[in-house]
Amino acid sequence: MSARTYAGRGYRRRMKGIGAVLIDIDGVLTVSWKALPGAVEAMERLRAAGIPLVLVTNTTSRTRAAVAERLAGEGFPVGIGDILTAPAVTAAYLREHHPNARCRLINTGDVREDLAGVEIVGEGAGDEDRGAPDVIVFGGAGEAFSYPALNSAFRCLQRGARLVAMHRNLYWRTADGLDLDTGAFLPGLERAAGVEATVTGKPAEAFFATALAHLGAPAAEALMVGDDIESDVLAAQRSGITGVLVKTGKYLPETHRAAEGTPDHVLDSFAGLPGLLGLP
């Protein structure tokens, strides 16, 4: 029997030895911040079983506090301490590797609250009033990813600025369908400027290491649930974490088939996770 779990075929492989769970948010628990069917109940069962968990997300449109508030409003039993975002991890990276750097943030959404200790300058495209930035920081795509903003970033990179990206996601799922994300723009800028971005969010190994440290759990006893086979699931597996792919959110059968690896388990949705873990 395959190691995968096919919920739609009535097969359940109950797991033992899992002591902590990492969970993506967008496309797994919610779509357009509305709870997916059965997701709240599944989270409640994890809580009732006392399983440590952390929500790990590349979401760049909301702060950790705003994410926690929105999820709580949908009924999820979570607080700000349960959430690890790409902006928060990016801030830690910048403070360690580029202390006192002047950073230009190109991002749709205000996450400056999660960028404590990072100096943000020149937020308007072409704004050089305070001098050229040392680091260009890419968040999530949207209206902020205009030609003037990208071209201004290109010129800064030509002058020697470093490039940091919170993620390389190609798209995400909204209530209206799939929308393009940062990964659709980043490779072109890297090629044009002759640079390579440092990625701080998923699928970066350091992101998963931070999540495991937050949980106080070894990789061998942790499980990651995501809708992105590359950034969520296979990336977690490369860090020694059990990977579970859910067929919600951005999941596409063709992307699944074309992936360079195989998830440890596949579920129809997050609602099937308690069954996979053998919870009551």
Side-chain angles (χ1 to χ4, degrees):
M1 181 68 73
S2 168
R4 301 180 184 179
T5 299
Y6 293 93
R9 298 180 186 178
Y11 170 62
R12 295 289 191 276
R13 181 185 177 91
R14 292 192 170 184
M15 303 178 64
K16 295 181 180 179
I18 295 298
V21 178
L22 291 69
I23 308 165
D24 183 33
I25 298 175
D26 192 19
V28 176
L29 300 179
T30 66
V31 167
S32 292
W33 298 102
K34 295 295 183 182
L36 287 168
V40 172
E41 293 79 2
M43 180 77 73
E44 290 173 340
R45 290 172 67 184
L46 291 177
R47 287 297 199 196
I51 297 178
L53 59 87
V54 62
L55 309 188
V56 289
T57 176
N58 280 347
T59 295
T60 56
S61 61
R62 296 172 184 253
T63 63
R64 293 171 65 232
V67 170
E69 182 180 4
R70 190 70 182 86
L71 291 175
E74 287 294 302
F76 289 100
V78 298
I80 189 172
D82 300 312
I83 296 167
L84 181 64
T85 66
V89 173
T90 300
Y93 172 84
L94 291 170
R95 290 192 299 266
E96 179 179 355
H97 296 278
H98 299 286
N100 304 316
R102 302 159 63 80
C103 302
R104 174 174 295 173
L105 175 64
I106 301 178
N107 178 62
T108 298
D110 187 0
V111 293
R112 284 173 292 183
E113 180 182 319
D114 283 351
L115 294 173
V118 177
E119 183 181 4
I120 305 297
V121 300
E123 294 178 81
D127 177 7
E128 305 293 347
D129 291 344
R130 301 181 62 190
D134 304 303
V135 183
I136 299 295
V137 182
F138 271 21
E143 294 182 359
F145 275 57
S146 64
Y147 177 82
L150 293 174
N151 195 50
S152 178
F154 169 60
R155 290 178 175 176
C156 291
L157 294 172
Q158 286 183 304
R159 292 194 293 267
R162 300 295 183 89
L163 180 59
V164 173
M166 296 186 188
H167 61 75
R168 285 186 178 273
N169 292 359
L170 291 170
Y171 47 79
W172 78 96
R173 172 73 66 179
T174 72
D176 298 321
L178 296 177
D179 282 358
L180 287 177
D181 209 342
T182 302
F185 303 92
L186 188 58
L189 183 62
E190 289 176 309
R191 184 175 178 183
V195 302
E196 183 175 351
T198 296
V199 178
T200 51
K202 296 176 295 181
E205 183 176 346
F207 187 94
F208 291 103
T210 299
L212 291 172
H214 178 85
L215 290 168
E221 297 177 8
L223 176 148
M224 170 72 205
V225 187
D227 64 328
D228 187 319
I229 190 170
E230 297 291 345
S231 293
D232 292 338
V233 180
L234 299 184
Q237 291 177 190
R238 287 193 292 272
S239 291
I241 301 168
T242 297
V244 178
L245 178 67
V246 292
K247 297 182 178 181
T248 54
K250 68 172 65 174
Y251 174 86
L252 295 171
E254 55 268 33
T255 304
H256 185 178
R257 290 192 296 268
E260 295 183 355
T262 302
D264 292 310
H265 302 273
V266 181
L267 295 172
D268 285 341
S269 72
F270 181 74
L273 183 63
L276 175 67
L277 294 174
L279 301 182

